[in-house]
């Protein structure tokens, strides 16, 4: 089992950058593939990106490809989401999740509480 805590959200102007962090507890963090999923008001959860347990493979939604970068540091039990060239449509609550490498939310067993990202135009 792993507990996840996100941080780094906030308010930023369009074109700006933010880096989200997701800290995991427990010695099993490195055994999980990790993902970031976001949910905007009145919208369904949307896959953003995922990374395999060793960091060797990543996947990105088309909407963020080239602007967002996922990475992880297993020694620190942390996964990161670097977000550049932010757009107002990136505004959402961002969740990190641990589970299997997938675009489907159902593949992830453990979720953080979420962190709000707001991009102003």
């Amino acid at each position: 089992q792993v507990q996840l805590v996100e941080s780094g959200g906030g308010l930023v102007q369009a074109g700006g950058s933010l880096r989200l962090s997701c800290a995991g507890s427990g010695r099993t963090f490195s055994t999980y593939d990790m993902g970031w999923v976001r949910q905007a008001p009145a919208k369904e959860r949307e896959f953003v990106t995922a990374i395999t347990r060793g960091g060797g493979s990543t996947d990105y939604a088309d909407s963020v490809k080239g602007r967002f970068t996922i990475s992880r540091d297993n020694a620190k039990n942390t996964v990161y989401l670097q977000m550049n060239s932010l757009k107002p449509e990136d505004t959402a609550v961002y969740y990190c999740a641990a589970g299997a490498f997938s675009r489907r939310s159902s593949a992830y067993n453990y979720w953080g509480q979420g962190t709000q990202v707001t991009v102003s135009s």
Side-chain angles (χ1 to χ4, degrees), residues 80-103:
Y80 304 98
L81 180 61
Q82 178 67 44
M83 305 186 294
N84 299 328
S85 302
L86 283 160
K87 305 175 181 180
E89 51 263 45
D90 294 318
T91 295
V93 177
Y94 283 71
Y95 299 90
C96 73
F101 187 70
S102 175
R103 292 189 171 206

Side-chain angles (χ1 to χ4, degrees), residues 27-49:
R27 290 176 286 182
T28 60
F29 179 83
S30 63
T31 67
Y32 292 98
D33 300 324
M34 299 295 296
W36 287 95
V37 175
R38 66 187 181 187
Q39 186 165 21
K43 292 189 175 181
E44 302 214 346
R45 282 192 177 182
E46 175 191 17
F47 169 80
V48 177
T49 181

